[in-house]
Amino acid sequence: MPIISWEQKYSVGVVEIDNHHKQLINMINELYFAMSNDRGQRLVESIIKDMLSYAKMHFKIEENYMRESGYLGSLQHFREHEKFIEKTQEMAQRCEEGEFVLSFEVIQFLSDWLNCHILESDMKYVPAFKEKGLR
Ligand SMILES: [Fe+2]
Ligand SMILES: [Fe+2]
């Protein structure tokens, strides 16, 4: 059972961004699977790093669209992205240093964050993106 699954309620109406969110969901599940099956620290570390760079790419594109569409809540939204990057970077770092005791709290954090962020924050830019004709 995946820890988080894509559902229509996550759709922001822009195919490119929906695909990014789907991929992030896949990566969280991959991490969950690796941990549940005790696949080792190395694999977990590499998934966290891949997810970090994927999230950075996604945030950059999303932020560009926010600027383009003149969405007013951008600054606060950018800060949420930064927080996520910081937190994930910290996880990657701790994992690299080997002092990191892997726990499902990490996965829970990632999946809760993504769930809340898409439903509460990303959804807020939907009207501005629509107005701009983004699909
Ligand atoms: Fe976002
Ligand atoms: Fe997003």
Side-chain angles (χ1 to χ4, degrees):
M1 268 287 272
I3 193 163
I4 177 170
S5 301
W6 168 265
E7 288 169 59
Q8 196 53 36
K9 67 176 181 186
Y10 291 126
S11 179
V12 296
V14 180
V15 177
E16 184 188 12
I17 296 183
D18 282 349
N19 285 339
H20 291 167
H21 290 154
K22 284 177 186 168
Q23 180 59 19
L24 286 168
I25 287 173
N26 285 342
M27 288 171 130
I28 290 172
N29 285 322
E30 226 183 297
L31 193 57
Y32 178 59
F33 182 81
M35 283 192 184
S36 318
N37 293 282
D38 207 6
R39 289 300 176 82
Q41 188 125 337
R42 274 284 140 83
L43 179 64
V44 169
E45 192 183 318
S46 88
I47 300 171
I48 292 180
K49 284 183 174 165
D50 286 350
M51 198 174 57
L52 184 59
S53 58
Y54 196 87
K56 282 182 182 167
M57 180 280 293
H58 163 62
F59 293 158
K60 200 174 269 177
I61 290 174
E62 204 177 65
E63 288 169 12
N64 282 339
Y65 284 144
M66 278 186 243
R67 286 189 198 95
E68 259 175 51
S69 68
Y71 170 62
L72 291 174
S74 301
L75 282 184
Q76 177 168 353
H77 199 127
F78 295 176
R79 248 176 266 136
E80 282 185 35
H81 286 171
E82 262 167 46
K83 269 240 166 82
F84 178 84
I85 296 290
E86 270 168 33
K87 186 96 181 168
T88 312
Q89 231 148 16
E90 193 186 292
M91 282 174 197
Q93 181 72 28
R94 285 167 65 189
C95 208
E96 204 169 344
E97 285 163 2
E99 58 159 277
F100 190 38
V101 181
L102 298 172
S103 79
F104 288 99
E105 274 166 50
V106 172
I107 308 273
Q108 204 58 57
F109 163 80
L110 295 170
S111 82
D112 288 348
W113 189 90
L114 193 64
N115 178 60
C116 291
H117 184 78
I118 297 175
L119 294 179
E120 284 163 29
S121 302
D122 286 351
M123 283 306 158
K124 286 187 188 155
Y125 61 57
V126 170
F129 283 18
K130 268 210 179 112
E131 187 126 321
K132 196 71 185 158
L134 292 172
R135 309 207 292 134

